């Protein structure tokens, strides 16, 4: 699966498990994992103008404006390490972003191979986001109950886990609404272009990973 250009989108509500699956699937397939949320958070840590701008939206659980997000993403996929294909996690999140991505890939003679929807109910999402923590050093994601950090061999030899500001209850409710209003229309968008594949996200992370890999294999032969 590594010797061809393959662009894959992971779609799903906040907390569906996109990041968790993207990390594992990138390792297995050699695809480059690109998370727009991670890019914004990295800019924020580095104190860039882009990071400071993004923060004003992220804190409220709103989307960063399309023009800014699209420019950042297109610049990133133009770099050499992304030329062999990527696994998009958290992008696109609006129809405008999806269209901009389609245009850019068409211009370079490529297209999306498949968009995989990780399907999870709102109740499960609230449980997942409420317990999500990440390593203060490397950002690896854990869950206080479903995927706790290992006390015997802590991540980065550190026991410090932090909760994202936007994983607090008020921001979670808003993010679910923003998903329903602005991102869920992408399910129809990719269904119409025949690119949508849905996996049941309410299984163990390993079982979701098996289904995800099968969805990629179905389009890569
Ligand atoms: P989640 O884990 O909830 O899916 P992400 O880490 O992907 O969240 O994104 C966190 C925040 O970063 C979003 O709530 C939004 O403010 C911003 N963001 C990330 N990706 C995008 C995007 N494609 N378009 C607009 N805003 C985005
Ligand atoms: P997203 O990137 O879609 O926002 P994450 O991958 O960050 O989602 O997962 C959200 C939370 O749910 C994290 O705390 C993660 O450890 C946990 N999680 C991910 N996949 C599963 C799963 N299949 N079952 C239970 N918890 C999960
Ligand atoms: Zn770590």
């Amino acid at each position: 699966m590594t010797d061809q250009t393959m662009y894959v989108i992971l779609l799903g509500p906040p907390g569906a498990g996109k990041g968790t699956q993207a990390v594992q699937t990138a390792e297995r397939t050699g695809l480059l994992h690109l998370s727009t949320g991670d890019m914004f958070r990295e800019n924020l840590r580095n104190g860039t103008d882009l990071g400071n701008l993004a923060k004003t939206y992220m804190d409220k659980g709103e989307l960063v404006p399309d023009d800014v997000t699209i420019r950042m993403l297109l610049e990133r996929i133009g770099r050499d390490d992304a030329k062999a294909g990527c696994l998009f996690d958290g992008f696109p999140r609006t129809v405008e972003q999806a269209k901009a991505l389609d245009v850019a890939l068409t211009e370079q003679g490529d297209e999306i191979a498949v968009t995989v929807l990780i399907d999870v109910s709102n109740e499960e999402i609230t449980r997942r986001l409420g317990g999500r923590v990440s390593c203060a050093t490397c950002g690896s994601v854990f869950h206080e109950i479903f995927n706790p950090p290992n006390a015997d061999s802590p991540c980065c030899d550190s026991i410090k886990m932090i909760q994202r500001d936007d994983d607090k209850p008020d921001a979670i409710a808003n993010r679910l609404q923003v998903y329903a209003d602005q991102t869920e229309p992408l399910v129809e968008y990719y269904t119409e272009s025949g690119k949508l594949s849905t996996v049941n996200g309410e299984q163990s992370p390993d079982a979701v990973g098996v289904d995800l890999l099968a969805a990629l294999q179905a389009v890569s032969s």
Side-chain angles (χ1 to χ4, degrees):
M1 234 188 274
T2 48
D3 55 352
Q4 64 186 122
T5 310
M6 196 165 172
Y7 294 96
V8 174
I9 296 170
L10 292 187
L11 183 63
K18 301 181 297 296
T20 301
Q21 293 301 328
V23 169
Q24 293 182 12
T25 309
E27 273 170 22
R28 287 184 189 139
T29 60
L31 293 171
L32 179 71
H33 172 204
L34 287 188
S35 155
T36 40
D38 285 350
M39 287 182 213
F40 287 132
R41 281 185 291 275
E42 193 186 330
N43 271 279
L44 188 55
R45 275 196 302 277
N46 294 333
T48 69
D49 289 346
L50 175 62
N52 292 332
L53 173 83
K55 182 178 165 47
T56 59
Y57 297 94
M58 293 168 84
D59 280 351
K60 290 180 276 183
E62 287 169 12
L63 296 185
V64 179
D66 280 333
D67 57 340
V68 177
T69 306
I70 290 167
R71 206 175 322 123
M72 174 180 77
L73 193 276
L74 294 187
E75 186 277 322
R76 185 65 189 86
I77 64 172
R79 292 196 220 158
D80 279 350
D81 63 346
K83 295 260 165 68
C86 347
L87 189 54
F88 297 112
D89 159 15
F91 184 95
R93 259 178 156 95
T94 64
V95 171
E96 189 170 339
Q97 291 178 15
K99 287 183 176 164
L101 181 62
D102 278 344
V103 168
L105 294 184
T106 304
E107 272 173 10
Q108 63 182 54
D110 288 311
E111 61 175 339
I112 296 295
V114 65
T115 295
V116 183
L117 172 67
I118 304 181
D119 197 19
V120 175
S121 67
N122 274 7
E123 297 75 54
E124 176 66 12
I125 278 166
T126 308
R127 277 192 287 274
R128 290 192 188 176
L129 290 180
R132 173 160 67 182
V133 289
S134 54
C135 172
T137 307
C138 73
S140 291
V141 172
F142 298 87
H143 190 282
E144 283 171 343
I145 296 160
F146 306 143
N147 179 24
N150 187 335
D152 298 328
S153 60
C155 192
C156 294
D157 292 330
S158 141
I159 46 162
K160 189 156 185 243
M161 290 283 150
I162 49 177
Q163 186 187 37
R164 279 167 46 174
D165 285 340
D166 58 349
D167 281 343
K168 311 258 158 81
D170 282 359
I172 291 177
N174 195 33
R175 282 158 69 209
L176 290 178
Q177 191 61 48
V178 166
Y179 177 80
D181 293 343
Q182 300 192 59
T183 307
E184 219 165 15
L186 293 179
V187 173
E188 199 184 328
Y189 181 88
Y190 289 113
T191 301
E192 277 172 5
S193 59
K195 304 261 188 228
L196 196 81
S197 177
T198 302
V199 302
N200 174 9
E202 294 199 27
Q203 314 177 72
S204 70
D206 285 349
V208 177
V210 168
D211 289 356
L212 174 54
L213 222 45
L216 303 201
Q217 261 147 7
V219 296
S220 66
S221 48

